Amino acid sequence: MRKKFRSSAGRWSSLVPPALLMILICAWFIAVSEAGGLTPASRRLWAGLTTIMAYLAFCYWVYRHWRAARPSALANVMGSAADTVLVAFASQTGFAEQLAEKTAAVLMAGGQSASLRSLSALSGESLAVFRRVLFVVSTTGEGDAPDAVAGFARKTMSLQLPLAGLEYGLLALGDSSYRHYCAFGLELENWLHRQGARALFDTVKVDDGDEGALRHWQHHLGVLSGHTDIADWSAPSYCDWTLVERRHLNSGSPGLPVFHIALAPIDGACAWQAGDIVEVGPCNPWEPVDQLLAELALTGEEIIQERASAKTLRACLAQRLLPRDQQGWIPLKGCSAQALADALEPIPHREYSIASLPVDGRLELLVRQALQADGRLGFGSGWLTRHAAIGGRIALRIRENRGFHPPPAGRPLILIGNGTGMAGLRAHLKARAAAGLGRNWLLFGERTSAHDFFYRDEIQGWRDQGLLARLDLAFSREAGAHRYVQDCLADAGATLREWVKEGAAIYVCGSLQGMASGVTAKLEAALGRECLDEMAEDGRYRRDVY
């Protein structure tokens, strides 16, 4: 009822200024006429007051309409629209607009041009000139579009537009306690599909402001913008786990090192499903922390207050974004220990697909080292694969990822992925093995068979045991091969159609760039766009790409 009231309130509130204006005009005529029964002085006073109030009501009404259609002050349109990322929002209470502003700020911090606009200010023609659009939209009432964009929903979304060159991401806000959860966002997504637009990643649905989902959206923004140092909009509530194993899996590979990471819960409790994600709170290595402390003439043993807890300054700085060079140290000189800690942002979280099940007794990850622009290891991969000590504590939070949970037991399952996407696929295969479900098909691509066939013995064992009905591999750096996982699909179109006809679900896990779009194109070529859209709507086509 709360959201329905908001919807009605929004519609009526837009009528209040014009109605008030008409009332005041009538009052003015009564005041200036002798029929009002007022003295001449009273008539002049009342006429003046009503004139001022009418003017203010008119200005407020103009402001409301200007604000709904204005580009934000954050809009930074440089170059042509084709080179600008459009951030389009549909907001009822203002929350979606705030998130859209943060989205544009992250993009611009990464050096990208971004334009922030309300959907109410966009037409089909203006939308078509952009190559990339990020939508942040809410649902109000019983599955309705926000009041300000009702015209866009009614007019523009009834058109057929040439959007085949458009890439988009969608953040849909809703409340699962209502029957039509994220209805407008899903309606917008379906319309974009029908126009030929391609999703950059799966729609992120936010249930009643869920902070985990918003961090997942921020994770996608970091990947798109190349700017992963933006502090989390909301910090995860981490628990401590113990790092119990770190094993290099691809020694000799032409690619960056990949590690098998295993963590054990300190309190013995662990619960998740195949498809879920872990958010890791990385730390700096001690060397740059101690270097900064020495430069600022601080011991690091000073006590810092953080929320309801206290820790040493050294421990606090291990979790902060430090200045990258001595030039950045200058503004910090002379700061107290507490002021220093307060001035530096926490290191943002990093996300990884979980490669194991709770029955394994530990949480396993597959992590490839990433390099920052200055050649240093990335925060998350550097912490997990090099800096953290075996036996040391790792801060993490398990996040439910309903959009990649296992399909019903009776369905055949086609798993497609590349690189460290094997983590998510492995968890699903483990779940199928535990349930005795043998109708599975794995398609996997990497660089070389000799060095990059992760979990080779385990996968070949599943094939020998009958868990894997079919296994297709593609290695792009093999002599004379140069095959990618999407090429396996092109060669198996008839079998793919047969499996889908039998009710198979298709799950894709791996890199957003190259693999995800290539797989989608081959699936569309084999099955048809309409079939793939229907499978997505039915939950039979799911992706976890990054």
Side-chain angles (χ1 to χ4, degrees):
M1 183 64 69
R2 175 168 52 90
K3 288 194 175 182
K4 190 171 184 179
F5 172 77
R6 280 183 187 166
S7 179
S8 300
R11 283 190 289 269
W12 286 111
S13 65
S14 65
L15 299 176
V16 168
L20 179 60
L21 183 62
M22 293 300 298
I23 292 171
L24 290 172
I25 291 173
C26 292
W28 184 84
F29 276 112
I30 293 173
V32 298
S33 67
E34 293 185 1
L38 300 176
T39 65
S42 297
R43 287 203 300 271
R44 286 194 296 273
L45 177 61
W46 182 246
L49 288 174
T50 53
T51 300
I52 293 172
M53 292 176 69
Y55 174 74
L56 292 175
F58 175 74
C59 290
Y60 175 69
W61 181 71
V62 171
Y63 167 75
R64 277 182 59 90
H65 285 266
W66 167 81
R67 188 176 186 273
R70 84 194 194 286
S72 164
L74 277 173
N76 180 25
V77 184
M78 301 179 295
S80 68
D83 299 322
T84 298
V85 180
L86 173 63
V87 181
F89 64 88
S91 187
Q92 182 70 20
T93 65
F95 184 49
E97 183 176 3
Q98 293 171 14
L99 295 176
E101 289 177 347
K102 290 183 177 181
T103 295
V106 170
L107 295 175
M108 289 189 287
Q112 294 195 15
S113 172
S115 176
L116 180 65
R117 304 183 191 177
S118 169
L119 274 180
S120 63
L122 294 171
S123 63
E125 293 75 14
S126 61
L127 188 63
V129 303
F130 289 91
R131 292 177 184 168
R132 183 168 287 185
V133 182
L134 297 178
F135 295 94
V136 182
V137 302
S138 63
T139 295
T140 190
E142 295 300 328
D144 302 323
D147 299 330
V149 300
F152 180 93
R154 185 179 65 256
K155 298 175 184 177
T156 303
M157 290 174 60
S158 66
L159 302 175
Q160 294 295 318
L161 297 175
L163 300 181
L166 180 71
E167 295 180 320
Y168 72 91
L170 175 61
L171 182 70
L173 310 179
D175 188 333
S176 60
S177 66
Y178 289 81
R179 183 173 60 176
H180 302 293
Y181 174 47
C182 292
F184 176 61
L186 298 178
E187 182 182 352
L188 176 60
E189 177 186 35
N190 291 334
W191 177 74
L192 290 166
H193 279 173
R194 293 195 300 271
Q195 312 316 307
R198 294 188 179 275
L200 290 162
F201 42 81
D202 287 353
T203 293
V204 178
K205 291 186 283 188
V206 182
D207 186 1
D208 197 21
D210 175 47
E211 294 182 346
L214 292 176
R215 286 193 297 272
H216 189 48
W217 173 257
Q218 190 178 0
H219 165 79
H220 283 308
L221 296 181
V223 173
L224 288 176
S225 66
H227 192 66
T228 57
D229 291 355
I230 297 293
D232 287 327
W233 296 344
S234 63
S237 298
Y238 295 123
C239 294
D240 284 338
W241 289 53
T242 301
L243 177 60
V244 295
E245 184 184 1
R246 178 165 55 212
R247 179 160 41 97
H248 187 188
L249 296 185
N250 66 337
S251 180
S253 170
L256 288 167
V258 172
F259 288 80
H260 172 82
I261 303 294
L263 305 129
I266 290 178
D267 60 6
C270 53
W272 66 88
Q273 292 189 53
D276 284 343
I277 288 172
V278 67
E279 299 177 345
V280 173
C283 291
N284 293 304
W286 289 119
E287 182 181 359
V289 171
D290 292 337
Q291 188 178 7
L292 178 60
L293 287 170
E295 179 67 23
L296 300 180
L298 295 167
T299 67
E301 298 304 313
E302 297 86 351
I303 300 301
I304 300 301
Q305 294 295 327
E306 281 194 318
R307 298 179 183 174
S309 63
K311 62 176 65 174
T312 67
L313 176 62
R314 188 171 187 260
C316 180
L317 293 183
Q319 300 171 333
R320 293 292 199 269
L321 289 169
L322 303 180
R324 291 184 174 272
D325 50 42
Q326 295 184 2
Q327 193 68 25
W329 297 349
I330 296 174
L332 302 176
K333 289 187 175 181
C335 285
S336 67
Q338 186 69 52
L340 173 63
D342 294 342
L344 300 175
E345 295 282 358
I347 298 174
H349 80 284
R350 294 295 185 264
E351 295 187 353
Y352 300 96
S353 298
I354 301 175
S356 60
L357 299 177
V359 70
D360 297 319
R362 58 191 206 168
L363 189 150
E364 297 177 345
L365 307 174
L366 190 61
V367 180
R368 188 188 302 276
Q369 288 186 345
L371 297 178
Q372 300 184 58
D374 59 6
R376 293 183 299 172
L377 286 175
F379 285 111
S381 65
W383 176 236
L384 291 172
T385 68
R386 179 179 295 179
H387 304 310
I390 298 296
R393 294 193 173 190
I394 303 292
L396 64 83
R397 173 186 181 272
I398 295 171
R399 181 171 62 77
E400 185 180 39
N401 185 19
R402 297 179 187 175
F404 208 63
H405 278 175
R411 288 200 185 282
L413 181 59
I414 303 171
L415 296 165
I416 307 169
N418 72 330
T420 56
M422 174 60 81
L425 306 183
R426 180 181 185 242
H428 278 288
L429 285 172
K430 280 177 164 284
R432 302 281 284 190
L437 303 173
R439 190 84 162 114
N440 305 297
W441 177 4
L442 174 64
L443 302 96
F444 175 70
E446 242 294 341
R447 289 170 174 80
T448 66
S449 174
H451 306 292
D452 303 292
F453 188 175
F454 308 131
Y455 307 117
R456 177 196 301 268
D457 294 343
E458 188 175 47
I459 290 171
Q460 290 179 340
W462 283 331
R463 182 180 58 182
D464 295 341
Q465 296 163 17
L467 176 72
L468 281 173
R470 177 162 178 164
L471 174 63
D472 287 85
L473 302 170
F475 296 101
S476 60
R477 303 293 178 87
E478 298 280 64
H482 302 295
R483 281 170 54 81
Y484 297 91
V485 68
Q486 53 263 40
D487 297 323
C488 296
L489 287 169
D491 298 338
T495 305
L496 178 65
R497 287 187 289 273
E498 179 184 337
W499 277 58
V500 169
K501 187 176 180 180
E502 294 172 0
I506 300 175
Y507 280 39
V508 182
C509 190
S511 58
L512 174 65
Q513 300 297 329
M515 188 280 294
S517 58
V519 165
T520 298
K522 296 300 182 183
L523 289 174
E524 287 180 1
L527 304 174
R529 180 66 179 260
E530 184 175 347
C531 174
L532 202 60
D533 286 347
E534 289 177 359
M535 291 180 67
E537 291 174 9
D538 295 340
R540 291 173 56 201
Y541 176 49
R542 303 190 177 208
R543 306 191 311 165
D544 181 14
V545 296
Y546 43 84

